[in-house]
Amino acid sequence: MKLASTITSAGATGPSWVLLVAAVLVSGLLLAGPALRRRHPVAWWLLLGFPVAAFRVARTWRPLMAGCGLAVSRRPALTVVSGLVGNGAPPPQPRVPRRGLIRPTSGGFVLLARLLPGQVPEDFVKAAPAMAEDWEVHAVRVTSWKPGVVRIVASASDPLAVPRVPKQRGPGHLLRVAVGVLETGAAWVVDLRRVPHWLIVGATRSGKSTLINALVAGLAPQHVALVGIDCKGGMELSLYGPRLSALATNREQAVRLLAALVDLTLDRMSVCRAARVRNVWGLPDKERPVPIVVIVDEIAELFLVASRSEKDEAQAAGTALIRLAQLGAALGLFLVVAGQRVGSDLGPGVTALRAQLGGRVCHRVADPGTAEMALGDLNPDALKAAQAITPEQAGTAVLASGDGWERARSHLITEAEAEAVAAEYAHLTPVLSELHVEAP
């Protein structure tokens, strides 16, 4: 009897100790919460923020779906009323979309929901603001995951307020640069191997130059050639002079440089054809030519004309850029075209070039036509988001490609920092004699 009572006492004490330890841990987390949130926001979110948010989603899912018109009655209304009158039974619970597991991210959570018959993803998109309010999160984005299923991504706070991007150590992956942060909290990565050509637009002080600084700073340590075309006298791109293999500072130089780049791609095409490969990436490492990233600042300066001779130059420059965009990706040449204003009024060459630039970044712009040119042909929702960017949101942009669209903000890299990085890695600048441009 004594042994049995001892075992019973020990068994009763065990759960109490577990509860006590759990209470102490939870109390400690709550007391250390503010400091943990400031110093280690991701750890705070995973330990404290996410469990609370997941409980809130589970508790409000059914009433939220009903309130947003996303629930469906199990029986026709007349049958329900008849049942109430005849039997006094409560009405059956409506069917709500079935949700999947709530999975945490570094700054929010994600879940999948299966649509009921007759529903479309746009129904959930309209309900996104209500979801954000009920779940007490910063924002909710809904996208189509696959037929019949939507993906719901919630951001607990605004990651674009203070972009946190770890500094890149070493060269990293070739032609891949982390330039900022996405609205989901993930890193904003520009991968030129995946999306080879980009169009970047933005008004003065919108963040366009900061993005280019981040891109140059990330590419400088890599084994790539950087080529600049800055027809405003080189005021912007000359900062990176030590790391540039070539720089054109007016339209006459730009035309010659672009023609040389076209000839270079044709030479690479001959090399690939002789080696019986479809692109330069199929060549052996020792025979593969160095990748070239061409940065064009203020594209309008290439296309604006005031005389017949300038018209011929503008047409030649536009034709060369279109050819480079068509041929470059397979031959190791990539375009980053930037401008404050990009519109069809600059000439038909701009529209044809835009069609070849698969990646688009739109900061705050001064005229709606530029936003339309950048995003209108890809996604109307992205266009609306770009037009909503305010002057106070410097650095914030909407980026779009064939994969969809996101709001993002580039990491702040000043001109002085980008200039210092270019000087630090000047010894890596490839010498491309065929791209030599004489001074005017």
Side-chain angles (χ1 to χ4, degrees), residues 30-54:
L30 292 175
L31 291 174
L36 184 65
R37 187 172 188 175
R38 288 193 305 270
R39 298 180 182 180
H40 305 285
V42 176
W44 173 88
W45 169 250
L46 295 177
L47 291 173
L48 289 174
F50 171 70
V52 174

Side-chain angles (χ1 to χ4, degrees), residues 381-426:
D381 293 333
L383 177 60
K384 295 177 183 177
Q387 292 173 333
I389 299 175
T390 63
E392 293 75 23
Q393 297 174 304
T396 301
V398 172
L399 59 122
S401 65
D403 299 331
W405 69 277
E406 296 276 0
R407 288 179 75 248
R409 185 176 180 183
S410 56
H411 185 49
L412 178 59
I413 294 183
T414 64
E415 293 178 351
E417 291 172 333
E419 187 177 6
V421 171
E424 179 183 357
Y425 295 100

Side-chain angles (χ1 to χ4, degrees), residues 105-129:
T105 62
S106 60
F109 57 87
V110 60
L111 63 120
L112 301 178
R114 181 170 294 280
L115 278 62
L116 295 176
Q119 293 180 339
V120 293
E122 286 73 16
D123 297 332
F124 282 78
V125 173
K126 294 177 182 178

Side-chain angles (χ1 to χ4, degrees), residues 103-113 128 131-132 135 137-143 145 150-156 183-186 406:
R103 293 173 293 148
T105 62
S106 60
F109 57 87
V110 60
L111 63 120
L112 301 178
M131 296 179 191
W135 300 339
V137 294
H138 169 69
V140 171
R141 280 276 308 277
V142 179
T143 56
W145 180 249
V150 293
R151 185 171 185 260
I152 302 173
V153 179
S155 302
E183 189 178 30
T184 59
E406 296 276 0

Side-chain angles (χ1 to χ4, degrees), residues 282-298:
L283 296 171
D285 292 346
K286 294 182 179 180
E287 299 179 15
R288 184 182 305 136
V290 61
I292 301 174
V293 180
V294 181
I295 302 173
V296 182
D297 188 68
E298 200 47 69

Side-chain angles (χ1 to χ4, degrees), residues 162-182:
V162 183
R164 297 176 179 271
V165 177
K167 292 185 177 180
Q168 185 170 310
R169 298 181 179 179
H173 295 285
L174 185 64
L175 297 168
R176 191 173 185 268
V177 180
V179 297
V181 64
L182 300 176

